[in-house]
Amino acid sequence: MKYSCFFILLIVILAITKVNAQETTTPAIYPVLGKNDTIRVAATNDNGYMIPWIGLNEVVINGNRIWKSPQEKAYFNRLRYNVLKVMPYALFAKRRYEQLERELSTTNDKKEQKKLVKACDAEIKQMFNTEIKELTITQGQILTKLIDREVGRTTYDIVKQTKGGFAAFSYQLVARVVGHNLKTTYSATEDRDIESIIVNSGYYQ
């Protein structure tokens, strides 16, 4: 039984090798070009025939939203204002956190790493003291979600990694007092209105 299985496997391997050899030795058939066919395009070999093709940019089609009530429209417009208000801060957090990770990866010296983390923390605190502290509770909650969306980690996880578990726990206690939750995550499905606003905001064009 073992020898028969080995024999069958050998036949399959030889058959595959033969097919591959035929594919590589068979000359490709290209389409006949006209005098105006001067644009170079990609092509795919389909059983010996070269099929030309051109990649197109993604086209997003959005329909006009029908509001159930003036209140629903007013809510969405307010949400849009809040999202666009805090989106630059989320993008800043993303860039600064990515920069910190790159800098930390260049050194194994603990003192140098602490210095880099401290510099990042000071920069974020400066922005907080000048701008973020003026945000409303709703805007702060949205910002927490957007940081998770952009960085791929919650604010709590970021603080825990850079400043330690006790600092993250302490920050979370303070945040909960004023109605925030640093562990808030983002879901493109559950937060579809926010996702729609971001997609149509022009930030990623």
Side-chain angles (χ1 to χ4, degrees):
M1 183 65 182
K2 292 182 180 180
Y3 289 105
S4 61
C5 292
F6 175 77
F7 182 71
I8 295 174
L9 178 61
L10 181 61
I11 292 176
V12 172
I13 294 175
L14 291 175
I16 293 175
T17 304
K18 183 178 181 181
V19 170
N20 291 334
Q22 290 176 348
E23 289 180 353
T24 56
T25 56
T26 302
I29 301 175
Y30 291 87
V32 179
L33 300 180
K35 63 178 181 178
N36 295 323
D37 294 328
T38 57
I39 301 176
R40 290 181 177 273
V41 298
T44 299
N45 190 330
D46 184 14
N47 295 323
Y49 290 88
M50 300 302 295
I51 309 299
W53 57 272
I54 298 177
L56 300 177
N57 295 329
E58 179 184 5
V59 178
V60 180
I61 301 176
N62 297 314
N64 294 325
R65 185 165 180 173
I66 300 176
W67 306 103
K68 296 180 179 179
S69 64
Q71 292 77 14
E72 184 184 50
K73 183 177 181 180
Y75 167 79
F76 182 84
N77 289 336
R78 185 64 183 174
L79 178 64
R80 183 177 185 276
Y81 171 82
N82 289 331
V83 170
L84 297 182
K85 173 77 174 179
V86 302
M87 189 63 185
Y89 303 132
L91 294 176
F92 171 82
K94 176 184 180 180
R95 291 191 297 268
R96 192 60 185 88
Y97 184 69
E98 290 176 346
Q99 178 186 342
L100 176 62
E101 285 195 321
R102 290 194 300 269
E103 292 172 343
L104 291 175
S105 65
T106 61
T107 177
N108 292 323
D109 185 83
K110 297 298 182 181
K111 290 184 178 180
E112 182 64 21
Q113 289 180 344
K114 288 183 178 180
K115 183 179 178 181
L116 293 172
V117 171
K118 187 176 180 179
C120 178
D121 187 51
E123 190 173 342
I124 292 176
K125 280 184 177 179
Q126 182 182 2
M127 184 179 66
F128 177 85
N129 291 330
T130 57
E131 299 181 49
I132 295 181
K133 69 177 183 178
E134 302 296 334
L135 299 179
T136 65
I137 292 178
T138 300
Q139 290 169 350
Q141 292 170 341
I142 295 174
L143 177 59
T144 304
K145 286 188 174 185
L146 294 187
I147 288 177
D148 181 61
R149 180 187 189 274
E150 296 301 320
V151 180
R153 307 184 68 181
T154 65
T155 306
Y156 182 89
D157 290 334
I158 294 174
V159 175
K160 184 178 180 180
Q161 180 187 10
T162 56
K163 298 185 70 65
F166 180 76
F169 176 75
S170 301
Y171 284 16
Q172 173 72 339
L173 287 180
V174 176
R176 296 296 286 176
V177 171
V178 295
H180 294 282
N181 183 3
L182 302 183
K183 295 182 179 181
T184 300
T185 58
Y186 183 84
S187 170
T189 302
E190 297 178 2
D191 301 304
R192 56 183 179 275
D193 283 343
I194 296 179
E195 185 69 18
S196 174
I197 293 169
I198 294 174
V199 170
N200 293 284
S201 65
Y203 277 109
Y204 297 97
Q205 292 181 356

